[in-house]
Structures are given as C-alpha cells and as structure tokens.
Amino acid sequence: MSERGYTIQNKEIRFEVTNMCNANCVMCPREKMTRPQGILDMGLYIRTLDEACSMGATVVSLENFGETFMDPLFFERAAYAKGKGMKVLTITNGSLFNKKAAERSLYFIDKIRFSVYGTTKEVYESIHRGLKYDAVVENIEYLLDLKKRTGSAAPKVEVYFLYMDQNKHQAEEFKEKWLGRVDDIAMWKPHNWSDGRSYRQLDGDKKKVTCGRPSRGPIQVQWDGLVVPCCFDYNSSIVLGDLNKQTLRQVLESKDYDDFRKAHAKAEFSLYPFCDSCDQLRKREDVLVFTTIKDAKVGAVNTTYEKVD
C-alpha cells in the first residue's frame, strides 16, 4: 500500500518486456500497431519495480503485446523480481522456449502460460502464422519432463486454447492432449482488442459497465515506459503516464489517471473511444468455454485474472 494517496488494490504489476513478435497470429491485430517496437529498459524496470514493491506489489507479470522470450533480459528481470520475494508470471507462444530457458524457468518463473490454438500442424500453423507446431509442443513437453525428473513444482504450467471457427473442431482433442499433463488448461472465445478485431458481436442496446481495471488494476507498463489502462491497449491509445518522466506514484495519483477512473465509475466511456468500443464493457456469459483453473468460472465476462496459487 502507498503511505498516502492512491492505494494499490491489485498486487500485480505488468511489464511489456517487448512488443516484438516472431509470429503473425490471426487473432492478434499486429498489422494495426503503429507504435515503435523495442525492449524494456532494465533501469526503468528496476526503478519501477522497486517502487511498486514499496507500494505493496507482490506479483510481476512479464509479458504483453509481443513474444516474451524475444527479450534477451527476461531471466535477468525475473531473477531480480524473485530476489525481492515476488512471484513471476509470463505468457509465451512457446516457440523460443528452448531447453536452456526451461531449465532456468525452474528457478525464476512461478507460472507460465503457453498459447497453443490447435492440435495438428495444419490447424495450428494456419492460426499461429510463422511458428512450427511440432517445435512448440516439443518445448512444452521438455519442460513437463524436466519438472517430473527434478521433482520441481515450478513453474506452474498452463496451456490455453482460443475457440475459433478454424479450430473449434479440435476442442475435445485439445482437452485429451493436455488434461492431466499440465497444471491447468483454459479455453476461451477470442476478444476484439477494442478496435483491433471483431470476434465478439457488440450488443448495442446492452448496458455498458466498467471492466473495473481503472480502479482495480493491474498496473500496465509498456516497453517504452508509458502506462496504459490494460493489456488490450495494443497501440497505447490511452496514455495515463510516462515513467521516463514520472514516478509510479505520480502516475497513479495524477489527474489523467484520476479522470480516467472517474469516467469509468460514471460510465462516461465516450470520453475514451478505445474503451467505448471494447467488448469487455458488455457482460457476456459465453466467453470462457472450459477451464480447470481454480476460482475461474465458465461463463466469465472478461479474460482470466492471473492467480498463482
């Protein structure tokens, strides 16, 4: 908690370690991303993480709109966070998660989520364009075997599946392949990234309600130090602060952030067009198709929150 002013409600802080990616997946609006690409500065990361810890953060998620393991400093960042007693989470397409990364993950990652949206080479590679199905599965299986051989409980392994027209016929096969082998699986219908995709039909006459992220977090830091509302803001459309010029506390207690919270609280979403077009503001009960994750419920409205235990 902060000593004054803004109090962290969500103990997680998220850092986009890079927005570069080695894939061109169909559900991801990378072709619409116009912001520069790069890698998070280590000094900015350490400075911000230290401050977040002093304000009560206990979990760091190293991922966002890019492939995590394109960041050459990933394990250095994870080790620093673990040294501060934090839990480290990440998400990856698994293509670069080689044997060395798997071996280091036993010490520095608490939970890792692999996105695997298919059970055959043809379907998987038509969705995750640019990646190789066999190589990704081999990387995951190496980690699972390594955990078994060493008796390591970490990292907790999750495998995710997006339920789309291209792959929905493989849903049951996905369950058969991964259930009982990994710690958890989850199957979701894809979201729209606000103006990035159109997977979910927006019901115009349905009342919009706040997603809660402006007030509850988690805090989202882009690779260039900009603070945005959430991980859906792939193009940094709503900038709430700049950690190159401000401290984390200054950002969270700023007028820009406060105005944003108030707009959500009053349902004045039109003040922020990117939010106004977001499918997360419309309650749906058909988004989470299947999961084994504790406390996550089929029929959830928004994407799952990160939970290690």
Side-chain angles (χ1 to χ4, degrees):
M1 288 186 181
S2 63
E3 296 177 357
R4 60 178 178 78
Y6 181 76
T7 299
I8 290 179
Q9 295 186 40
N10 190 315
K11 304 305 180 184
E12 177 186 357
I13 182 168
R14 296 180 178 180
F15 289 92
E16 178 184 70
V17 293
T18 183
N19 62 340
M20 299 187 294
C21 192
N22 60 338
N24 182 28
C25 301
V26 297
M27 65 285 172
C28 189
R30 293 195 64 81
E31 80 283 355
K32 294 188 174 184
M33 183 180 70
T34 57
R35 62 187 173 106
Q37 298 184 50
I39 294 172
L40 177 65
D41 177 76
M42 191 65 181
L44 186 148
Y45 168 76
I46 289 174
R47 182 171 67 251
T48 305
L49 191 65
D50 285 349
E51 187 178 5
C53 285
S54 74
M55 297 176 72
T58 59
V59 177
V60 61
S61 186
L62 302 176
E63 46 79 18
N64 190 26
F65 200 69
E67 168 45 41
T68 301
F69 292 97
M70 291 191 74
D71 172 24
L73 300 174
F74 175 85
F75 282 106
E76 185 177 343
R77 301 187 205 279
Y80 185 81
K82 292 297 290 181
K84 297 183 73 65
M86 301 187 78
K87 290 182 177 179
V88 177
L89 317 178
T90 194
I91 300 172
T92 176
N93 61 39
S95 62
L96 304 177
F97 194 76
N98 55 28
K99 292 181 179 180
K100 184 176 180 181
E103 290 158 4
R104 298 180 77 181
S105 74
L106 302 186
Y107 304 97
F108 301 117
I109 302 177
D110 292 279
K111 186 173 73 172
I112 183 168
R113 180 206 297 180
F114 293 95
S115 300
V116 187
Y117 305 157
T119 61
T120 62
K121 174 182 173 67
E122 291 73 22
V123 170
Y124 174 90
E125 293 180 9
S126 71
I127 295 172
H128 298 276
R129 296 174 299 197
L131 304 185
K132 300 297 182 183
Y133 175 72
D134 291 340
V136 169
V137 171
E138 182 179 338
N139 288 343
I140 299 172
E141 291 181 337
Y142 179 82
L143 173 60
L144 297 176
D145 180 64
L146 180 64
K147 286 183 61 181
K148 185 176 181 179
R149 286 189 283 111
T150 60
S152 177
K156 182 176 181 180
V157 178
E158 293 181 353
V159 178
Y160 271 42
F161 182 94
L162 277 190
Y163 194 90
M164 300 181 284
D165 288 342
Q166 299 99 314
N167 64 0
K168 60 185 179 183
H169 63 287
Q170 296 188 335
E172 291 305 314
E173 187 177 347
F174 174 85
K175 293 180 189 178
E176 292 174 8
K177 181 173 182 61
W178 297 111
L179 273 174
R181 300 185 65 200
V182 297
D183 293 285
D184 282 301
I185 69 171
M187 305 174 71
W188 289 88
K189 290 185 179 179
H191 59 79
N192 292 349
W193 296 93
S194 186
D195 61 358
R197 288 289 183 266
S198 58
Y199 283 108
R200 298 182 191 174
Q201 185 67 35
L202 299 182
D203 191 344
D205 60 0
K206 183 171 283 190
K207 181 181 178 180
K208 298 177 187 176
V209 296
T210 180
C211 60
R213 296 191 186 207
S215 59
R216 294 195 300 266
I219 300 164
Q220 178 68 50
V221 181
Q222 306 289 63
W223 77 267
D224 54 2
L226 299 182
V227 177
V228 298
C230 71
C231 58
F232 293 149
D233 193 353
Y234 64 92
N235 225 7
S236 296
S237 299
I238 304 173
V239 177
L240 300 172
D242 185 349
L243 293 170
N244 295 288
K245 304 174 182 177
Q246 300 165 280
T247 65
L248 181 61
R249 185 187 300 281
Q250 287 172 339
V251 171
L252 295 175
E253 296 180 351
S254 68
K255 183 179 185 300
D256 287 341
Y257 221 127
D258 193 48
D259 286 346
F260 184 65
R261 294 189 196 101
K262 289 177 180 177
H264 263 252
K266 296 177 181 179
E268 296 176 345
F269 306 116
S270 61
L271 296 175
Y272 298 89
F274 187 83
C275 283
D276 199 38
S277 62
C278 183
D279 54 50
Q280 303 295 297
L281 302 184
R282 295 164 173 84
K283 288 188 175 181
R284 295 282 296 272
E285 297 180 353
D286 62 346
V287 176
L288 179 54
V289 178
F290 177 86
T291 187
T292 61
I293 299 174
K294 183 180 178 182
D295 297 331
K297 298 179 180 179
V298 171
V301 177
N302 296 328
T303 53
T304 187
Y305 57 88
E306 296 292 353
K307 190 174 180 66
V308 177
D309 298 325

